[in-house]
Amino acid sequence: MTKTGRYIRLGGMAGLAVLAMSAPAFAQEVEEVAEEAFALSAPDTAYVFNTLLFLMTGFLVMFMAAGFAMLEAGLVRSKNVAMQCTKNIALYSIAGIMYYLVGYNLMYSGVDGGYFGSISIWGVDDSGGVASDGSGYASASDWYFQMVFVATAASIVSGTLAERIKLWPFLVFTVFLTGVIYPIQGSWQWGGGWLSELGFADFAGSTLVHSTGGWAALMGALVLGPRIGKYVKGGGVNPMPGSSMPLATLGTFILWLGWFGFNGGSELALGSPDEANAVATIFINTNMAAAAGVVAAMLLTQLLYKKVDITMALNGALAGLVSITAEPLAPTLGWALAIGAIGGVIVVLTVPLLDKLRIDDVVGAIPVHLFCGIWGTMAVPLTNADTNFAAQATGVISIGIFVAVTSLVLWLALRFTIGIRCSEEEEMMGLDKAEIGVEAYPEFTVR
C-alpha cells in the first residue's frame, strides 16, 4: 500500500470513529426532522391520495360505459348492434355535458336539507385548499367521479328499450334524465337533502343510480310497448336470441371490473390507513357478491329449466353487484355472499315475470337494476345499524315515485309530439340500416 493510501485509510477510520461516537445524537436529530417533515406534509399527502382515488376509480366507472355497450351489443340481434353502440357513446357524452351545465350544482350546491340545489353551471372551486384534517381533494376530481355515475343511470335505460326506439327521442330523454331527474333525486341523499337528514343510507347508489335507471327504463318500456313478434296470442313468448354471447360476456366482465371503482371510490377518501382498509374491504365484498350472484343464478336455472342459461349467469353477476352497492363496507364476506346470491335469485324469478306481464326488457335491466336495487337498499339495515327499514323504505318509495312519474310524463310527451317508436318496416329491417345507416355486421345480416 502506498503512503497516500495509508493516509486515506487512516482518515476514513478516524471519520468512522467520530461518526460512531455521535451516531445516537445524529440519529435522534434525523428522526426529529423526519417527524416534523411528515407532520407538515400529511394534509398534502391526504389531499393527493383522496384526489387520486376519485380520478382512478372514476375512470374505472367510465370504462363501465364500454361494458354496457358490449353487453347490449351482445344481447340484441345483429341488425341492431350499431344502434346500441351509437346510443351508448352518445348518452355518455350527453351526460357529461348536462352534468356540467346544470346537473352537478342541482345535485350538490346549496341543498341543505331541501329538495334540490341551484340551477347554475359548475365551475372549479379549490379555494378551500387542503383541509386541516387532511380530508381535502381537487374539486375537478369530485366532479369527474360524480359525472360518470350519471352516465351509468342512462345506460340502464338504453338496453331495456333496444331494437324499437328511435335514436333522437331516446337522446332527448337522456338530456332530461342526466340533467334534471337524476340530480334532483340524488340531491335528496348525496347532496345533503331531506333523505340524508332522515337517516336513509345508500353508499354507492343501489337506489340513487340503479333503481333510478330501472324506473326510467320501466316507464319507457310501458309507453313504448314490446318488439314485434315478442309475445304471441295465448300468452306465449317468442325468444329473440342476442347476436353474440362472447360480447355480452366481455361486457359483463368490464362492468364487474368497473364496479370496483363504482363502490370503492364511494368511500370518498384514501388519506389514512383506516380509509385504505375500508376501500380494500369494499373491493372484496363487491367481488364476493357478484360471484354469489353468478352461482345462485346458475344453480336456479339448472333446477328450473334443466339447463344453465348464460344470459342469466351474466345478469346474476350484475344482480349481485347492484345488490351490494347500497352497503359494500359494513357486511362480512358471509353477508356479502348472501346479499349477492339473493340478487341472483331475484333476477331468475323476475325475468319471466316481466314476460308474463308482457313488458319487453331486451337485456334484463329492470330485474337487475330496479328489483335488485330495491333489494340491496332494503338489506342495508341487516349489516349497518346506523339506519333502519323505515328510512330505507321511505327512500325507495319516494325516489321510485319521483322518477317513475317524471319519466312517464316525459315519455308520453315525446310519444305524442315527435314520436318514440320506429315504424314496423324499420323495426323488421333493423335500426342499424333504418336509423344509423351503418350495419355492424354487413356481411352476415339477413337482407
Side-chain angles (χ1 to χ4, degrees), residues 72-79 81 240-247 441:
E72 294 171 23
L75 294 180
V76 300
R77 289 168 291 180
S78 299
K79 60 184 179 180
V81 172
M240 294 182 172
S243 63
S244 174
M245 290 306 102
L247 268 187
Y441 307 110

Side-chain angles (χ1 to χ4, degrees), residues 68 109 147 168 244 294 339 346 370 402:
F68 278 112
S109 177
M147 179 275 294
W168 289 107
S244 174
V294 173
I339 291 168
I346 289 172
L370 175 54
F402 171 74

Side-chain angles (χ1 to χ4, degrees), residues 179-265:
V180 180
I181 298 174
Y182 174 90
I184 288 178
Q185 59 84 35
S187 73
W188 298 353
Q189 172 65 18
W190 291 342
W194 68 278
L195 277 179
S196 177
E197 293 193 346
L198 185 68
F200 177 69
D202 190 359
F203 191 94
S206 284
T207 288
L208 273 70
V209 179
H210 296 282
S211 286
T212 291
W215 284 115
L218 176 60
M219 295 301 106
L222 292 174
V223 174
L224 190 62
R227 289 167 289 176
I228 297 171
K230 175 64 177 178
Y231 303 113
V232 297
K233 293 181 179 180
V237 180
N238 181 27
M240 294 182 172
S243 63
S244 174
M245 290 306 102
L247 268 187
T249 305
L250 173 63
T252 301
F253 273 117
I254 292 174
L255 289 169
W256 193 328
L257 173 65
W259 232 285
F260 295 119
F262 202 94
N263 288 355

